Amino acid sequence: MTTSKRRYHITTFGCQMNKADSERMAGILEDMGFEFSEDPNNADVILYNTCTIRDNAEQKVYSYLGRQAKRKHEQPNLTLVVAGCVAQQEGESLLRRVPELDLVMGPQHANRLKDLLESVFEGNQVVATEPVHIMEDITQPRRDSKVTAWVNVIYGCNERCTYCVVPNVRGVEQSRTPEAIRAEMEELGQQGYKEITLLGQNIDAYGRDLPGVTSEGRHLHTFTDLLYYVHDVPGIERLRFATSHPRYFTERLIKACAELPKVCEHFHIPFQSGDNEVLKAMARGYTHEKYRRIIDTIRRYMPDASISADAIVGFPGETEEQFENTLKLVDDIGFDQLNTAAYSPRPGTPAAWWTNQLSEEVKNDRLQRLNHLVNVKAAERSQRYFGRIEEVLVEDQNPKDKTQVMGRTRGNRLAFFTGDINELKGQLVKVKITEVRAFSLTGEPIEVRQAMPV
Ligand code: SAH
Ligand code: SF4
Ligand code: F3S
């Protein structure tokens, strides 16, 4: 008699860190003999890797969970796991809310999934949320793409922005060693990956927790040094990184990006607000003038660099005039893309307690006004690509038009052109841009550049 393989399903919410963690956890599950199931209703282990950055992100998790918890009454062998930031935030109380859960595990425990599950299979209900030192993981992640990959460089965040749950749920900064990062990148290069995004919540903080200082008194391992150390990994054609914090973004880093050919001319530097009083209340540690200087410096070295950011509207006490300063910053800088959000009070953060909260109406109205401006500016910024030849790294078929492939330009704009994915996947193609939209481009292929042999 053959027994069919046990199956697992993962749904991922939230940011790139969660996506990277999910890929690692999927790798561990496959190592344990599980097979991926797209449909959660066919899976024996269901894992939700959760996000709690805003209330609506968290509520979404509960509605998914409710459905599966019900199913567990008919299928008692089903294993239900909540990982990620809601797990860390809620811990034990999640078990009281959803007693059907088998395992609640914070993001720092992603690498320990095998041990934790084994304990569950022995009949325990497990909560793993205590702070731990994150070990190097030896199992292979199951990566979603064969072309682009994430590589963590630093976990956690030591900032204390007054609106943000991340430090509570991701713990203190823990940098991986340059050697471990490079080793992972080399392996990716050998496996045929072409693009790597280095990840950290506050990537400029890289190395602060590693030992050693230089003769000038700066940390021996800064993010800039890391870029120099990894930029020539064979096979890798493009490097990106996120997220940068304006407080620590240095000219030295900008110079390195301009100098190192594989580093793409795209910078994601959240500013959150264009008003100095609001920035102060957020405890961001910079002014809008400093933010503008950073962008000016980037554009001095790389005039065509694309710039994206995150912004929050309706922070407690934000006046109409202060909000207009955000609009002004967006208008002046001209972002290629901006992730916008209405402020959402989060448990365990200082700003949630303040009495000067704004109404949902005001927050939504500001969000809409900001989004409108973002679209106008992005469309303007897109115009510069018209008629130009851009290098596109082909990632996939265009899901809406199978005769086309899609990929990204160095500036991180989505681009489409006619072609066969089987021939083009993972290729760098020179594309003449014939159509521009606010956030994407269409063009005609001119030339396929043969990637350098590994
Ligand atoms: N480390 C990054 C951001 C991580 S969170 C940084 O420092 O910029 C991603 C984005 O979510 C933030 O940039 C912010 O714009 C948004 N965000 C975080 N907390 C929020 C809250 N309480 N309400 C609304 N948006 C929030
Ligand atoms: Fe949150 Fe601030 Fe840390 Fe970013 S830098 S993760 S916004 S606390
Ligand atoms: Fe969300 Fe956690 Fe990322 S709260 S944004 S998944 S760090």
Side-chain angles (χ1 to χ4, degrees):
M1 199 185 89
T2 55
T3 51
S4 65
K5 261 195 164 180
R6 292 178 301 168
R7 286 177 297 251
Y8 75 95
H9 170 86
I10 299 184
T11 296
T12 308
F13 304 88
C15 67
Q16 295 165 327
M17 321 284 151
N18 259 18
K19 290 185 184 136
D21 289 346
S22 286
E23 292 185 348
R24 298 215 313 276
M25 291 191 284
I28 293 171
L29 284 159
E30 300 210 341
D31 214 46
M32 292 174 74
F34 285 89
E35 203 166 63
F36 177 69
S37 162
E38 185 76 48
D39 179 0
N41 298 317
N42 282 328
D44 308 285
V45 172
I46 298 176
L47 188 153
Y48 291 115
N49 196 9
T50 60
C51 172
T52 181
I53 200 78
R54 286 182 284 277
D55 189 56
N56 54 6
E58 184 167 344
Q59 295 314 320
K60 206 153 66 177
V61 172
Y62 290 124
S63 87
Y64 277 58
L65 262 182
R67 254 171 277 153
Q68 295 305 334
K70 259 196 213 124
R71 223 184 101 210
K72 189 152 172 174
H73 294 278
E74 288 123 49
Q75 195 189 325
N77 285 338
L78 181 67
T79 303
L80 274 182
V81 183
V82 177
C85 297
V86 175
Q88 186 66 39
Q89 167 101 4
E90 300 299 323
E92 299 262 350
S93 66
L94 206 51
L95 293 185
R96 283 192 290 277
R97 185 162 178 165
V98 190
E100 292 86 352
L101 286 178
D102 297 288
L103 170 57
V104 174
M105 52 185 288
Q108 295 189 338
H109 295 264
N111 290 351
R112 297 184 54 223
L113 180 61
K114 182 165 189 251
D115 291 349
L116 297 171
L117 271 181
E118 276 166 2
S119 174
V120 167
F121 297 149
E122 282 161 16
N124 301 311
Q125 199 178 31
V126 181
V127 177
T129 51
E130 67 284 5
V132 289
H133 175 74
I134 300 171
M135 298 294 207
E136 282 300 327
D137 188 6
I138 42 161
T139 39
Q140 287 285 337
R142 175 188 185 273
R143 301 192 192 257
D144 277 347
S145 162
K146 298 267 171 270
V147 181
T148 64
W150 323 108
V151 171
N152 287 105
V153 308
I154 178 169
Y155 303 103
C157 177
N158 287 6
E159 298 300 306
R160 284 277 156 193
C161 305
T162 51
Y163 50 81
C164 184
V165 291
V166 171
N168 303 349
V169 292
R170 291 263 159 184
V172 294
E173 290 166 2
Q174 297 188 41
S175 301
R176 293 176 70 194
T177 64
E179 293 76 20
I181 294 165
R182 185 165 171 122
E184 183 175 350
M185 293 173 71
E186 282 179 350
E187 205 171 327
L188 288 166
Q190 277 156 14
Q191 291 166 353
Y193 284 87
K194 294 291 180 304
E195 179 180 299
I196 288 176
T197 303
L198 303 173
L199 287 183
Q201 277 298 356
N202 172 6
I203 207 159
D204 312 83
Y206 177 76
R208 288 205 286 214
D209 56 319
L210 295 175
V213 281
T214 64
S215 52
E216 301 107 59
R218 104 182 130 66
H219 285 285
L220 194 54
H221 303 286
T222 65
F223 182 63
T224 308
D225 297 300
L226 182 72
L227 275 186
Y228 281 111
Y229 179 67
V230 302
H231 82 276
D232 60 348
V233 167
I236 301 303
E237 303 276 348
R238 287 176 169 189
L239 282 179
R240 303 184 187 278
F241 56 90
T243 298
S244 306
H245 194 302
R247 181 188 240 162
Y248 306 102
F249 207 87
T250 61
E251 183 159 354
R252 194 167 161 259
L253 174 58
I254 297 172
K255 253 191 216 156
C257 296
E259 203 175 294
L260 298 171
K262 292 183 187 178
V263 178
C264 291
E265 300 74 26
H266 167 232
F267 299 88
H268 184 71
I269 318 177
F271 62 86
Q272 313 300 4
S273 167
D275 182 84
N276 288 347
E277 288 298 312
V278 175
L279 286 170
K280 204 162 164 196
M282 288 176 163
R284 289 289 289 177
Y286 55 86
T287 58
H288 78 88
E289 289 90 353
K290 159 136 188 193
Y291 187 83
R292 287 167 193 265
R293 279 198 298 277
I294 293 170
I295 306 302
D296 287 346
T297 310
I298 290 174
R299 288 181 167 159
R300 188 146 46 75
Y301 282 91
M302 290 160 274
D304 194 43
S306 71
I307 312 283
S308 62
D310 303 346
I312 298 175
V313 301
F315 188 71
E318 184 189 67
T319 64
E320 171 63 24
E321 203 185 341
Q322 290 172 330
F323 166 64
E324 282 168 15
N325 285 334
T326 293
L327 290 179
K328 183 157 190 334
L329 184 75
V330 172
D331 196 32
D332 290 346
I333 289 195
F335 290 93
D336 291 276
Q337 185 148 22
L338 186 68
N339 306 321
T340 59
Y343 169 73
S344 165
R346 305 309 295 131
T349 62
W353 297 100
W354 300 347
T355 52
N356 51 355
Q357 307 288 331
L358 303 186
S359 70
E360 293 304 315
E361 290 72 38
V362 170
K363 289 195 262 186
N364 286 333
D365 171 64
R366 290 182 188 171
L367 187 60
Q368 278 177 30
R369 281 153 69 201
L370 178 59
N371 285 343
H372 176 72
L373 179 62
V374 168
N375 284 321
V376 171
K377 300 306 280 190
E380 265 174 45
R381 290 284 289 163
S382 252
Q383 287 302 326
R384 72 192 195 282
Y385 292 115
F386 187 80
R388 249 168 52 173
I389 293 172
E390 285 288 308
E391 182 198 84
V392 176
L393 173 61
V394 179
E395 293 177 34
D396 251 313
Q397 205 166 45
N398 177 357
K400 293 199 192 123
D401 179 351
K402 305 268 187 251
T403 66
Q404 289 188 338
V405 295
M406 66 178 198
R408 289 186 180 269
T409 65
R410 285 177 65 95
N412 210 33
R413 266 215 180 30
L414 207 52
F416 305 97
F417 63 91
T418 302
D420 178 356
I421 190 64
N422 298 316
E423 280 166 29
L424 292 172
K425 192 166 193 152
Q427 303 287 341
L428 290 155
V429 182
K430 294 246 186 297
V431 177
K432 181 160 179 162
I433 304 302
T434 53
E435 256 178 70
V436 298
R437 292 166 298 273
F439 302 105
S440 64
L441 310 168
T442 301
E444 290 158 5
I446 305 281
E447 181 198 326
V448 179
R449 169 156 87 77
Q450 285 310 314
M452 302 229 273
V454 178

